[in-house]
């Protein structure tokens, strides 16, 4: 293969591979469904570790039990279950389990504090009973908080108060819902001696049918074999179990553990327990299942929907629904049928972004215009850009030894104020990471001065669309687009993308990106997406910044090819490939010497220390050790109180240093200068080298040039090569990232994949092999950290993909990177097809990967669970300091429907408008002077659980900080 590679690289310099595609001939909604099955209760899962007792759970091969009979009550219409949502991040997993396990039951969702049902309203009870009458049964779900706080359980309290003459119906409480039932039955809710979040334990239960309630009915654990289940709680139900003597407790048949405790909770019959042995040798008796003896109420403390709850536990849910149907039949209770619009609850799956638009798009737009010509004429400038795109490309062999950084420099982008590079920096076969975590492609956006840019500041009623140049002429167009008719920022993005889609019915090259949106989304935008209000923002920087890229360079590291490509419109663009040929000619003669030459231009840190005054040197402010440890303890207090299962705490390091890169300017003089850059393949290479050096090393008021952000990136990528590295200067920000974590990827057929990363160990002499790392990471604390985010991500995917369309393909897998080992899990989902979308009341409007992106922000691996409450707590603990790009995402969404986004970690960023003034002495005359410095930020942190130690979390934070921070020490 090596000989063949060398032979090819020495023949013709340019290999032409042309694609000319007219998207108008294909329907953008004709994506064929994936052939892969995504049944979340039947698909196998590959599990790498078992320190926590983790097994195949709900992804094990199906049991041989008979299918659940959905018509056992004699009613042939589909049963409906109401799920009361307490804002948990596992709720959609429960609704999916109910839908798939109970074979077609429709599940509707109503929040515990729904504004449609106000308890202070005079007609509240009548309206609530009318709503409940439409359902076969109710499930009161898990959530943060405690039943002692009325706001945490909301409508659940009114469910338990129902009586036979006022709407009583079967109910199952899970976790918080279970605890709420225990409190209603006379019990107390107390703190565990230590929380059990993400812990997998064996559930002790009675499998015989006789519950001791006199009629032999109600035991939902009947005929259930022993199984293990996932626990997510720090509070527990107390029905007086610790007052029972050890002898009475251990009695096998008819023992006290299986009887209602008359002096405490005579109406609550225990069905299941976990006996947790503590460090002091004591055994904590933790109630896991309960039956109310007077009403059709059941409760489960464990999480039946978790990926690590064994499938045998599914029988408990099946038994519960059989009991619910039996009770309804015995009581003669009839479910009231109503029209869909009269129901207060909504379906578990969110409607697609395209279905929520109040503006015409695609075929709808065609029918609202009298003629196509009139429709185009009436459009404002940004609506006409890039519509009905066509595609063309040229491919050349990448010269031996040339890296992505060399290509960037050859194109003159290293000194540009607008650049996006998405690099698989560890793609080389010699990288330490295994092949399965090495990226294959790198993407370089070109000609961004002529790319339309969409910017949105969270909280605004509008987004801004900008265009600086058109065909080399400065135009500086800007337009505010109000978002009300789009349903928000993501509706605008979906609409814009849909009108410029290259449909799947045409032949396309198998490349990840042909053109489309590229950019970043901040953590704060994610907070807004989950309805968290942001206060006192002192800036108007973009939280969403996306450039519409029509010219790009794709590097295939596996085949050693460079694809130069562009999207164009035959109506408006020049129909030739001059730009592609020019770039191709330049790249085939590129050599790798640029990198070494540029680094030789840099003075050593030691020399700089002698010439630059201390007052104007780089200043680094890291988190204070004791303060960070105090924040860890604050997190653990919230966790112990039941407010969160896991909190992903972060902190920021602030670096100030003399100005490096030139700040973007839109003055005509600068624009004129930019037009003088050589673009033909015959330019003088020495002139280009001088230009590149002057743009990369910007003089300051000191005598020593300061390494540019591009130098920072090259240093970081060489120290920490990562599969999702990125260098970005866009929207007034500069990002330098060596992220190892993929957030979300999706293909043209709607298959989505998320890859949360939790569990880190630094490489060292004592931990140098994968086997050694696995021993360290496959422990309960690390596995629980990962598992909680896995179940959260499943919840996010279920909200769009729907029931039965999500699976875990790799669970708790340890991977090797340049400087660390990481534990990851892969979760996959399949978007609904347009036909099923129509059946689900989505008006036939297709789902896209953007739906999943919008529904999943901010990344769960950076928040904790439950997501919303955890983010609110983290804002408080982190003192409302913005994370900005850190904890956000960077990536692209292609015109083909593909997309790939990474979590912005292991990174540093700088805003152009953030400066500080430093007092110093002039180097020539010793006089006092002022100098402006730029400010860089590095975020780092880790997931805090009940098993964390303040010292351990502090060490993990500094471990993650070390890599990005080291570049400033390396470059001075």
């Amino acid at each position: 293969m090596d000989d063949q590679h060398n032979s090819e690289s020495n023949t013709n310099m340019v290999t032409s591979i042309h694609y000319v595609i007219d998207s108008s001939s294909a329907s953008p909604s004709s994506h064929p469904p994936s052939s892969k099955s995504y049944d979340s209760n039947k698909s196998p899962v590959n599990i790498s570790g078992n320190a926590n007792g983790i097994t195949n759970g709900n992804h094990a091969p199906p049991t041989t039990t008979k299918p659940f009979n959905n018509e056992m009550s004699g009613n042939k219409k589909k049963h409906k279950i109401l799920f009361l949502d307490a804002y948990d991040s596992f709720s959609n997993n429960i609704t999916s389990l109910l839908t798939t396990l109970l074979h077609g039951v429709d599940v509707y969702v109503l929040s515990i504090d729904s504004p449609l049902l106000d308890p202070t309203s005079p007609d509240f009870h009548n309206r609530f009973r009318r709503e409940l009458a439409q359902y076969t049964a109710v499930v009161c779900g898990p959530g943060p908080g405690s039943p002692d706080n009325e706001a945490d359980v909301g409508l659940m309290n009114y469910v338990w108060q129902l009586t036979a003459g006022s709407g009583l119906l079967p109910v199952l409480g899970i976790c918080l819902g279970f605890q709420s039932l225990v409190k209603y039955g006379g019990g107390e809710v107390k703190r565990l001696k230590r929380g059990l979040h993400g812990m997998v334990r064996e559930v002790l239960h009675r499998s015989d049918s006789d519950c001791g309630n006199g009629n032999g009915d109600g035991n939902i654990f009947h005929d259930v074999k022993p199984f293990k289940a996932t626990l997510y709680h720090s509070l527990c139900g107390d029905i007086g179990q610790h007052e029972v003597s050890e002898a009475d407790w251990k009695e096998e048949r008819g023992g006290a553990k299986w009887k209602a405790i008359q002096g405490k909770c005579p109406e609550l019959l225990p069905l299941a327990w976990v006996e947790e042995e503590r460090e002091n040798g004591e055994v904590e008796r933790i109630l896991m299942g309960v039956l109310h003896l007077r009403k059709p109420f059941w409760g489960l403390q464990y999480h039946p929907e978790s990926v690590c709850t064994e499938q045998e536990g599914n029988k408990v849910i099946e038994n519960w629904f059989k009991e619910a149907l039996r009770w309804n039949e015995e009581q003669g209770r009839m479910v009231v049928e109503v029209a869909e619009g009269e129901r207060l609850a909504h379906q578990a799956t969110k409607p697609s972004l395209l279905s929520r638009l109040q503006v015409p798009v695609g075929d709808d737009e065609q029918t609202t215009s009298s003629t196509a010509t009139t429709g185009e004429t009436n459009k404002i400038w940004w609506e006409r850009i890039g519509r009905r795109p066509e595609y063309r490309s040229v491919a050349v062999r990448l010269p031996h030894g040339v890296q992505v950084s060399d290509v960037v420099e050859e194109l003159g982008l290293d000194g540009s104020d607008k650049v996006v590079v998405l690099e698989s920096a560890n793609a080389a076969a010699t990288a330490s990471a295994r092949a399965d975590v090495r990226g294959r492609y790198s993407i370089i956006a070109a000609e961004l001065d002529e790319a339309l840019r969409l910017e949105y500041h969270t909280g605004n009623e509008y987004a801004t669309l900008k265009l600086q140049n058109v065909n080399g002429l400065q135009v500086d167009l800007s337009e505010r687009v109000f978002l009300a008719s789009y349903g928000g920022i993501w509706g605008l993005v979906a609409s814009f993308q849909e009108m410029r889609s290259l449909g799947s019915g045409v032949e396309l090259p198998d490349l990840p990106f042909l053109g489309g949106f590229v950019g970043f989304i901040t953590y704060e935008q994610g907070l807004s997406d989950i309805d968290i209000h942001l206060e006192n923002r002192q800036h108007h920087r973009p939280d969403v910044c996306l450039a519409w890229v029509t010219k790009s360079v794709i590097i295939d590291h596996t085949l050693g090819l460079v694809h130069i490509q562009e999207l164009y419109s035959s109506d408006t663009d020049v129909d030739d490939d001059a730009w592609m040929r020019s770039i191709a000619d330049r790249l085939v003669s590129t050599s790798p010497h640029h990198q070494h030459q540029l680094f030789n231009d840099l003075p050593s840190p030691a020399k700089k220390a002698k010439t630059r005054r201390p007052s104007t040197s780089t200043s680094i402010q890291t988190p204070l050790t004791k303060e960070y440890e105090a924040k860890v303890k604050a997190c653990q207090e919230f966790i112990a109180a039941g407010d969160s299962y896991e909190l992903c705490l972060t902190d920021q390091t602030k670096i100030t240093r003399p100005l490096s890169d030139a700040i973007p300017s839109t003055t005509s003089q600068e624009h004129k200068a930019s037009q003088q850059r050589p673009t033909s393949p015959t330019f003088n290479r020495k002139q280009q080298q001088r230009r590149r050096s002057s743009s990369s090393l910007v003089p300051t008021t000191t005598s020593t040039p300061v390494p540019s952000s591009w130098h920072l990136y090259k240093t970081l990528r060489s120290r920490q090569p990562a599969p999702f590295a990125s260098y970005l200067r866009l929207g007034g920000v500069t990002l330098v990232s060596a992220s190892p974590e993929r957030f979300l990827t999706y293909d043209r057929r709607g298959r989505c994949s998320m890859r949360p990363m939790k569990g880190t160990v630094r490489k060292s002499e004592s931990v140098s092999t994968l086997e050694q790392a696995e021993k360290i990471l496959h422990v309960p604390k690390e596995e629980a950290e990962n598992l909680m985010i896995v179940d959260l991500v499943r919840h996010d995917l279920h909200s769009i993909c729907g029931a039965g369309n999500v699976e875990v393909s790799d669970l708790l897998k340890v991977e090797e990177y340049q400087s660390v080992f990481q534990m990851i899990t892969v979760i996959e989902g399949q978007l609904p097809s347009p036909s099923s979308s129509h059946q689900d009341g989505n008006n036939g409007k297709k789902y896209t990967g953007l739906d999943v992106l919008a529904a999943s922000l901010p990344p769960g691996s950076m928040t904790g669970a439950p997501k919303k409450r955890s983010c609110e707590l983290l804002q408080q603990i982190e003192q409302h300091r913005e994370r900005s790009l850190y904890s956000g995402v960077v990536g692209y969404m292609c015109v083909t429907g593909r997309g790939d986004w990474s979590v912005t970690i292991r990174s540093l960023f700088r805003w152009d408008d953030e400066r500080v003034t430093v007092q110093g002495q002039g180097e020539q005359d010793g006089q006092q002077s002022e100098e402006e410095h730029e400010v860089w930020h590095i975020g780092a942190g880790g997931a805090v659980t009940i098993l964390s130690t303040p010292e351990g979390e502090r060490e993990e934070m500094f471990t993650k900080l070390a890599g990005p921070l080291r570049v400033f020490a390396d470059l001075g």
Side-chain angles (χ1 to χ4, degrees):
M1 291 295 292
D2 290 341
D3 292 339
Q4 182 181 4
H5 173 81
N6 292 333
S7 173
E8 290 180 3
S9 62
N10 290 326
T11 55
N12 294 333
M13 288 195 301
V14 179
T15 304
S16 297
I17 307 175
H18 278 269
Y19 299 90
V20 179
I21 298 166
D22 185 354
S23 63
S24 62
S25 63
S27 168
S29 301
S30 58
H31 296 319
S34 171
S35 60
K36 188 172 183 178
S37 171
Y38 286 85
D39 187 335
S40 64
N41 297 306
K42 295 182 180 179
S43 301
V45 63
N46 185 3
I47 297 180
S48 303
N50 59 1
N52 197 12
I54 289 176
T55 59
N56 283 33
N58 274 318
H59 296 270
T63 61
T64 56
T65 57
K66 293 180 180 180
F68 178 81
N69 183 1
N70 192 29
E71 300 176 358
M72 61 185 299
S73 68
N75 180 6
K76 293 189 177 182
K77 292 186 178 180
K78 293 178 71 174
H79 293 290
K80 297 178 178 63
I81 294 176
L82 176 65
F83 181 82
L84 289 182
D85 182 17
Y87 299 99
D88 197 66
S89 288
F90 306 146
S91 297
N92 294 330
N93 301 335
I94 298 177
T95 62
S96 175
L97 179 66
L98 293 170
T99 302
T100 55
L101 187 63
L102 304 182
H103 297 281
V105 165
D106 286 334
V107 181
Y108 291 82
V109 178
L110 189 67
S111 61
I112 56 170
D113 60 351
S114 171
L116 302 175
L117 286 169
D118 181 5
T120 64
S121 173
D123 64 343
F124 164 73
H125 291 285
N126 288 333
R127 295 193 69 206
F128 191 38
R129 286 196 295 268
R130 281 200 301 270
E131 180 69 15
L132 295 178
Q134 304 168 34
Y135 304 98
T136 303
V138 173
V139 174
C140 295
S146 165
D148 291 335
N149 183 358
E150 189 172 333
D152 289 339
V153 291
L155 292 175
M156 293 183 194
N157 280 340
Y158 298 96
V159 170
W160 310 128
Q161 295 169 15
L162 295 171
T163 61
S166 62
L168 184 64
L169 76 169
V171 184
L172 175 67
I174 298 175
C175 200
L176 180 64
F178 162 88
Q179 295 166 4
S180 179
L181 171 58
V182 169
K183 182 179 180 182
Y184 167 75
E188 297 179 78
V189 176
K190 299 181 177 180
R191 291 190 181 188
L192 288 169
K193 294 181 179 178
R194 188 174 66 187
L196 292 168
H197 302 105
M199 296 292 109
V200 179
R201 295 291 186 267
E202 183 176 356
V203 177
L204 306 177
H205 60 83
R206 289 182 60 168
S207 60
D208 58 315
S209 60
D210 184 9
C211 279
N213 59 354
N215 57 19
D217 296 325
N219 184 11
I220 58 177
F221 289 87
H222 175 57
D223 282 342
V224 177
K225 298 175 183 178
F227 70 96
K228 292 181 179 180
T230 305
L231 312 182
Y232 285 121
H233 64 112
S234 55
L235 305 180
C236 62
D238 185 350
I239 59 174
Q241 63 265 36
H242 293 289
E243 300 171 11
V244 177
S245 69
E246 189 71 13
D248 289 344
W249 185 263
K250 288 185 175 181
E251 187 179 338
E252 286 297 324
R253 296 196 57 81
K257 73 169 66 173
W258 305 119
K259 295 179 181 179
I261 300 176
Q262 295 303 317
K264 184 87 171 181
C265 303
E267 294 181 339
L268 293 181
L269 185 70
L271 300 178
W273 298 91
V274 161
E275 296 180 348
E276 183 74 3
E277 187 173 349
R278 298 303 188 178
E279 289 82 355
N280 59 5
E282 294 183 4
V283 174
E284 191 169 12
R285 302 164 182 173
I286 307 173
L287 186 63
M288 283 291 127
V290 72
L291 163 68
H292 195 281
L293 292 175
R294 196 167 47 84
K295 295 182 179 182
F297 298 160
W298 293 261
L300 300 174
Q301 175 64 78
Y302 67 87
H303 280 248
E305 82 289 350
S306 172
V307 67
C308 288
T309 293
E310 292 178 343
Q311 196 185 28
E312 182 68 17
N314 288 348
K315 292 181 182 178
V316 179
I317 303 299
E318 293 177 332
N319 287 344
W320 165 74
F321 199 56
K322 289 176 183 177
E323 289 293 329
L325 293 176
R326 183 187 60 78
W327 187 91
N328 282 341
E329 187 171 1
E330 289 179 355
Q331 299 297 316
R333 178 177 180 269
M334 301 296 293
V335 176
V336 177
E337 293 292 334
V338 300
E340 194 68 27
E342 297 179 17
R343 189 175 286 111
L344 300 181
H346 57 83
Q347 292 183 327
T349 305
K350 295 180 180 180
S352 71
L353 293 169
L354 292 174
S355 71
R356 287 180 266 174
L357 297 178
Q358 299 177 27
V359 294
V361 72
D363 294 337
D364 295 337
E365 183 187 51
Q366 306 264 338
T367 61
T368 58
S369 299
S370 56
T371 66
T373 303
T374 303
E376 288 295 321
T377 303
N378 291 336
K379 296 184 186 305
I380 56 179
W381 62 270
W382 64 268
E383 291 179 311
R384 297 194 295 269
I385 289 178
R387 292 164 65 91
R388 292 187 292 277
E390 299 181 40
Y391 172 82
R392 58 192 173 205
S393 71
V394 169
V396 299
R397 181 69 62 185
L398 186 69
H400 181 69
V402 171
Q403 299 185 26
V404 173
S405 56
D406 299 314
V407 175
V408 172
E409 292 168 4
E410 182 64 39
L411 298 178
L413 298 176
D414 52 311
S416 173
D417 57 48
K418 295 182 183 65
V419 58
V420 177
V421 179
L422 307 179
E423 183 181 6
S424 296
N426 68 340
T430 56
S432 68
R434 298 186 304 180
D436 56 352
V437 293
R438 290 200 299 266
R440 175 176 175 178
Y441 296 97
S442 294
I443 300 171
I444 303 170
E447 306 289 325
L448 284 181
D449 280 345
E450 301 203 351
L452 178 140
R453 191 165 77 249
L454 183 153
E455 294 183 358
Y456 171 67
H457 177 76
T458 296
N460 284 353
E461 297 178 347
Y462 60 87
T464 305
L465 289 158
K466 300 179 179 180
L467 184 64
Q468 182 176 339
N469 296 333
V470 175
N471 294 328
L473 299 176
Q474 185 172 355
V475 293
D476 289 333
L477 297 174
S478 180
E479 183 84 20
R480 287 185 176 181
V481 180
F482 286 86
L483 301 173
S485 59
Y486 294 94
I489 181 61
W490 300 123
L492 173 61
V493 175
S495 172
F496 189 95
Q497 180 98 3
E498 180 68 9
M499 293 306 299
R500 292 151 185 84
S501 172
L502 283 176
S504 61
V506 294
E507 183 183 356
L508 296 170
D510 188 22
L511 293 173
F513 181 75
L514 306 184
F517 275 129
V518 175
F520 67 84
I521 303 166
T522 68
Y523 175 77
E524 281 65 38
Q525 175 60 38
L527 295 181
S528 176
D529 287 335
I530 56 174
D531 299 321
I532 292 180
H533 179 65
L534 302 174
E535 298 179 355
N536 301 321
R537 306 192 78 194
Q538 302 298 315
H539 63 81
H540 294 281
R541 300 165 184 156
D543 292 289
V544 178
C545 184
L546 302 170
W548 185 255
V549 174
T550 58
K551 295 180 179 179
S552 56
V553 175
I554 309 297
I555 300 175
D556 184 337
H557 298 281
T558 299
L559 299 181
L561 292 176
V562 182
H563 299 267
I564 304 100
Q565 55 188 12
E566 63 179 321
L567 299 175
Y568 69 99
S569 171
S570 58
D571 297 335
T572 58
D573 294 344
V574 178
D575 189 13
D576 64 53
D577 56 4
W579 175 82
M580 294 190 303
R581 292 289 179 176
S582 172
I583 298 299
D585 288 342
R586 290 165 62 178
L587 293 184
V588 295
S589 58
T590 301
S591 65
H593 74 283
H594 295 149
Q595 179 181 7
H596 310 298
Q597 191 168 352
L598 279 171
F599 274 109
N600 289 336
D601 290 336
L602 286 172
S604 68
K607 290 181 179 179
K608 280 188 271 189
K610 294 178 181 179
T611 57
R612 183 178 297 139
R613 296 288 183 180
S615 58
T616 56
S617 298
T618 297
S619 171
I620 299 175
Q621 181 181 344
T622 61
L624 298 176
T625 297
K626 294 301 180 184
E627 286 187 7
Y628 191 81
E629 291 179 1
K631 291 177 182 178
V632 173
K633 293 176 183 177
C635 288
Q636 290 184 305
E637 177 57 29
F638 282 121
I639 293 170
D643 291 311
S644 178
Y645 313 142
E646 172 180 29
L647 288 165
C648 297
L649 177 67
T650 74
D651 212 329
Q652 286 196 19
T653 291
K654 183 177 178 180
I655 302 99
T656 59
R657 67 173 193 154
L659 301 181
S660 56
D661 303 309
I663 299 304
S665 172
T666 56
T667 62
S668 57
Q669 284 186 345
E670 249 188 279
H671 172 73
K672 183 177 179 181
S674 69
Q675 299 307 308
Q676 297 174 354
R677 294 177 182 174
T679 56
S680 71
T682 58
F683 66 91
N684 186 306
R685 191 173 300 278
K686 289 184 178 180
Q687 291 177 348
Q688 188 205 34
Q689 182 60 50
R690 285 197 297 270
R691 180 194 59 76
R692 184 180 299 128
S693 296
S694 64
S695 64
S696 297
L697 300 172
V698 179
T700 67
T701 57
T702 64
S703 61
T704 306
V706 180
S708 69
S709 59
W710 177 245
H711 278 100
L712 295 179
Y713 174 71
K714 289 207 300 181
T715 303
L716 182 62
R717 70 181 288 279
S718 67
R719 304 291 189 268
Q720 289 186 236
F724 303 104
S726 57
Y727 175 70
L728 181 148
R729 294 192 71 190
L730 197 69
V733 75
T734 301
L735 172 69
V736 173
S737 175
S739 174
E741 182 175 356
R742 167 174 276 154
F743 174 55
L744 167 68
T745 184
Y746 44 88
D747 65 18
R748 296 169 57 193
R749 292 177 174 82
R751 190 165 65 203
C752 308
S753 176
M754 302 183 78
R755 214 171 187 270
M757 182 176 284
K758 276 295 166 196
T760 306
V761 60
R762 180 191 291 179
K763 281 186 175 179
S764 63
E765 291 183 3
S766 60
V767 187
S768 59
T769 68
L770 192 63
E771 183 180 5
Q772 291 171 327
E774 287 175 335
K775 289 181 180 179
I776 293 175
L777 291 175
H778 283 311
V779 295
K781 174 189 177 296
E782 302 295 342
E783 289 185 342
E785 253 185 56
N786 197 290
L787 175 58
M788 283 185 262
I789 303 306
V790 170
D791 280 336
L792 180 151
V793 168
R794 292 173 60 231
H795 162 90
D796 287 344
L797 277 175
H798 273 130
S799 72
I800 300 298
C801 297
N805 294 323
V806 177
E807 70 164 7
V808 176
S809 55
D810 254 326
L811 181 62
L812 308 181
K813 179 181 180 183
V814 179
E815 294 180 335
E816 180 182 0
Y817 294 85
Q818 182 78 7
S819 57
V820 296
F821 296 94
Q822 298 272 183
M823 183 184 291
I824 66 99
T825 294
V826 179
I827 306 105
E828 297 181 311
Q830 177 63 47
L831 292 177
S833 64
S835 58
S836 65
S837 299
H838 187 77
Q839 295 170 359
D840 292 339
N842 202 43
N843 301 322
K845 296 294 186 181
K846 70 175 183 179
Y847 289 88
T848 69
L850 179 58
D851 286 280
V852 177
L853 177 67
S856 302
L857 294 169
S861 62
M862 303 305 296
T863 64
K867 184 182 284 189
K868 184 175 182 180
R869 179 69 67 88
S870 295
C871 288
E872 291 169 340
L873 296 175
L874 287 166
Q875 278 192 302
Q876 177 181 336
I877 296 168
E878 296 176 7
Q879 301 174 326
H880 293 271
R881 184 176 186 178
E882 292 196 5
R883 294 187 184 183
S884 194
L885 270 71
Y886 174 66
S887 300
V889 296
V890 169
Y892 65 84
M893 51 188 84
C894 179
V895 290
T896 63
R898 285 181 168 178
D900 205 349
W901 298 85
S902 64
V903 182
T904 308
I905 56 176
R906 316 292 199 275
S907 60
L908 44 142
F909 65 90
R910 172 199 66 196
W911 288 99
D912 291 342
D913 65 356
E914 186 177 10
R915 303 286 185 82
V916 295
T917 301
V918 176
Q919 299 288 336
Q921 290 183 339
E923 295 187 4
Q924 299 296 328
D925 54 13
Q927 296 296 315
Q928 290 288 327
S929 63
E930 291 186 348
E931 180 176 318
E932 271 200 331
H933 280 204
E934 63 191 23
V935 180
W936 288 85
H937 300 272
I938 303 175
V944 179
T945 71
I946 204 68
L947 296 179
S948 297
T949 64
E951 298 78 14
E953 292 301 323
R954 178 249 302 154
E955 178 64 25
E956 180 177 347
M957 183 270 291
F958 279 113
T959 294
K960 294 173 179 176
L961 171 64
L965 186 58
R966 192 176 297 121
V967 301
F968 291 100
D970 289 344
L971 292 177

